[in-house]
Amino acid sequence: MQAPAVIITRPPHQAQHLQALLEKAGRSTIVFPLFEIEPISENAALDQALRDLASFALVVFVSPNAVDAWFQRLASAWQWPAEVAIAVVGAASRQALLNYGIDDQHVRIFSPSNTERTDSETLLTELDLPALKSKKVLLVRADSGRDFLADALRDAQIEVQAITAYRRVTPTFDASKRQDLQAYLNASCDWVITSSAVLKTLLNWCAQLDQPDAVAKMQQQHLFVPHFRIAEVASELGFKHIRLTASGDEKLLLALQSPL
């Protein structure tokens, strides 16, 4: 029996790597973006932080989008100062850094060592908080999200500067997306969900379909999620089939190649 199609809910440019891995493995894929990323073009605070980078002991990128927002404002010849450490939450952000030529050979990169549980709490345990006391940390993030890490660093008497580098935007639920979503529900696909906000968008869109059981059908779809917090939100929202994978596209691929 043919495996169901895999629906990747990321923006197209962020779906390409996973899509290529899956198609190479023989899985059919559909890119159905449930959020879009908008950089903040007029961003004086980010531009100032770029100029003042050497004054920070650590720069925390909350996501691959934060990495992109930072490096896309730079000239290609720009080099990261080796004395400024970097912290990221998951494998996707490490890969994003690598795309710009940044790895552990260039700079100290902190990230959760437990790939099964990648979040701000586990990242915090990797940081040497006493060594950062009274020093400056830059947090590059979206226009929405949790404040846990910033608050925890400030509680440790670390000076935190948080900069909004990009926005998450929900696409318009137009006639084409309505038709596509209805078809995917009736086909029972495998869904890759890499943002908990996507789950609420999905249920909201299903509730707008001319199909009384659309929400219930969505809750019966098979979800593949790389973070335990997304899995928790999915469970709270009534989804029944949730596979928690480790962080990174390769781990998602591995899970999608094995039965639920």
Side-chain angles (χ1 to χ4, degrees), residues 115-127:
T115 59
E116 303 291 335
R117 190 180 175 95
T118 55
D119 63 357
S120 297
E121 283 84 349
T122 49
L123 174 60
L124 189 67
T125 66
E126 304 286 343
L127 301 178

Side-chain angles (χ1 to χ4, degrees), residues 216-227:
K217 273 197 168 185
M218 187 66 242
Q219 290 168 327
Q220 292 296 329
Q221 302 287 307
H222 290 167
L223 307 187
F224 291 78
V225 305
H227 300 291

Side-chain angles (χ1 to χ4, degrees), residues 40 43-50 56 60 62 66 70 137-143 154 160-166:
I40 299 173
N43 198 334
L46 182 56
D47 290 337
Q48 187 63 50
L50 290 167
F56 295 98
V60 182
V62 302
W70 176 277
V137 170
L138 179 65
L139 186 65
V140 186
R141 63 182 186 182
D143 61 337
R154 290 186 180 111
V160 179
Q161 181 179 351
I163 292 179
T164 298
Y166 65 96

Side-chain angles (χ1 to χ4, degrees), residues 68 92 94-102:
D68 288 338
R94 273 189 171 269
Q95 180 59 51
L97 287 171
L98 192 57
N99 293 342
Y100 296 101
I102 306 295

Side-chain angles (χ1 to χ4, degrees), residues 144-208:
S144 60
R146 301 168 67 224
D147 292 324
F148 169 82
L149 189 58
D151 291 342
L153 291 172
R154 290 186 180 111
D155 287 344
Q157 299 180 47
I158 298 165
E159 183 181 345
V160 179
Q161 181 179 351
I163 292 179
T164 298
Y166 65 96
R167 302 183 186 92
R168 283 176 174 266
V169 181
T170 302
T172 301
F173 190 39
D174 56 22
S176 175
K177 289 188 177 63
R178 286 173 180 270
Q179 185 176 0
D180 289 344
L181 180 55
Q182 194 133 17
Y184 303 153
L185 286 178
N186 294 327
S188 296
C189 301
D190 289 339
W191 294 72
V192 173
I193 307 292
T194 53
S195 166
S196 57
V198 159
L199 297 166
K200 297 177 182 178
T201 298
L202 267 176
L203 294 184
N204 179 267
W205 285 5
C206 286
Q208 297 178 51

Side-chain angles (χ1 to χ4, degrees), residues 236-254:
E236 290 167 3
L237 291 174
F239 288 88
K240 307 301 181 187
H241 308 287
I242 306 161
R243 169 71 72 87
L244 176 60
T245 76
S247 177
D249 286 353
E250 286 73 16
K251 301 298 185 182
L252 279 165
L253 172 65
L254 218 71

Side-chain angles (χ1 to χ4, degrees), residues 68-144:
D68 288 338
W70 176 277
F71 283 93
Q72 287 171 5
R73 298 181 82 88
L74 299 171
S76 58
W78 187 88
Q79 290 188 330
W80 188 278
E83 67 275 12
V84 181
I86 296 174
V88 295
V89 173
S93 293
R94 273 189 171 269
Q95 180 59 51
L97 287 171
L98 192 57
N99 293 342
Y100 296 101
I102 306 295
D103 59 23
D104 291 289
Q105 294 182 350
H106 296 88
V107 62
R108 177 74 184 273
I109 301 176
F110 296 92
S111 62
S113 53
N114 181 3
T115 59
E116 303 291 335
R117 190 180 175 95
T118 55
D119 63 357
S120 297
E121 283 84 349
T122 49
L123 174 60
L124 189 67
T125 66
E126 304 286 343
L127 301 178
D128 186 348
L129 298 184
L132 289 170
K133 184 178 178 180
S134 300
K135 294 183 179 179
K136 291 172 62 179
V137 170
L138 179 65
L139 186 65
V140 186
R141 63 182 186 182
D143 61 337
S144 60

